[in-house]
Amino acid sequence: MTVLILGGTAEARDLAAQLHERDVEVISSLAGRVTRPRLPVGAVRIGGFGGVEGLTAWLRENRIQAVVDATHPFAERIGANAFHAAHAAKVPLLRLARPGWQPAGADRWHWAADLEEAAALLPGLGARAFLTSGRQGLAAFADLDPLWFLIRCVDPPDQPLPRRHEVVLDRGPFRLDGERALMTEHDIDVLVTKDSGGAMTAAKLTAARELGLPVVVVRRPPRPAGAETADVAAAVEWVLKR
């Protein structure tokens, strides 16, 4: 059988490796938004499919027998396209999604529906923000002139940006001691993040808790209802039963 993994996450790479070990032919698809992506084992394609119609045709032409959507929790468009294309091509689809983060102990979390709402919350929470929501969508914060931003992302961020800012280009996993030192060095008094989940970037939440900082957390966008798991081993078993 041939399986398409919509990837770009650690879970997708793990799944590709485990299926490869079981002699399952895997094609991993990456969006191509990161300059130097971490590549999984097996065949890799980079770039879009051309919407629902393009993905539907691609599934049929390549005789794909199963699709696993293991994209980032905020990859909303490809998630919706995959759902509708798999249905149209009559190909089973599984969503592999890591669990979201949950506040604990002395956490001071403020939930936001999107980046615009997160930006609206900031002036009442702090003056020096650590912005870790990725390089896209930063225009939502561009008009907050009184605030200063430390912006961290993998590749140089899109314009426009806040007037007062510093950019740090880095890629996880991040360690607690490093996150704590970074926030202290820059006098950060509020953290902004998306609810990405997973351990690779969770240390910033622990550091914010230890430093007593408020955290603005952007909720995940909704995904179409369907088969879903948070466990890579369960995803392997699902594929093998197709």
Side-chain angles (χ1 to χ4, degrees), residues 126-168:
R128 296 179 64 84
F130 185 19
L131 195 50
T132 65
S133 56
R135 71 185 181 92
Q136 296 181 317
L138 297 178
F141 304 90
D143 294 331
L144 297 178
D145 291 346
L147 277 68
W148 183 89
F149 292 88
L150 178 64
I151 302 172
R152 183 170 68 194
C153 42
V154 176
D155 292 323
D158 298 336
Q159 300 289 339
L161 298 176
R163 183 174 62 85
R164 303 172 62 219
H165 73 270
E166 178 179 334
V167 174
V168 175

Side-chain angles (χ1 to χ4, degrees), residues 69 76 78-84 93 95 221-228:
D69 175 11
E76 184 178 5
I78 185 59
N81 288 352
F83 178 85
H84 294 296
L93 169 72
R95 169 69 179 148
R223 293 285 189 119
E228 181 172 328

Side-chain angles (χ1 to χ4, degrees), residues 158-226:
D158 298 336
Q159 300 289 339
L161 298 176
R163 183 174 62 85
R164 303 172 62 219
H165 73 270
E166 178 179 334
V167 174
V168 175
L169 299 182
D170 203 354
R171 185 200 301 261
F174 300 106
R175 295 171 55 90
L176 175 58
D177 53 354
E179 297 291 71
R180 188 192 302 113
L182 186 65
M183 294 185 197
T184 301
E185 176 187 350
H186 291 86
D187 295 322
I188 298 300
D189 57 12
V190 60
L191 169 67
V192 181
T193 184
K194 292 178 176 178
D195 181 20
S196 300
M200 288 184 63
T201 60
K204 60 190 174 187
L205 301 172
T206 305
R209 182 188 311 131
E210 292 182 356
L211 295 171
L213 305 183
V215 182
V216 177
V217 185
V218 179
R219 296 185 187 276
R220 296 180 175 189
R223 293 285 189 119

Side-chain angles (χ1 to χ4, degrees), residues 1 5-6 17 55 73 109 117 131-132 140 198 214 224:
M1 66 183 305
I5 299 178
L6 302 172
L55 179 52
W109 286 16
E117 185 174 337
L131 195 50
T132 65

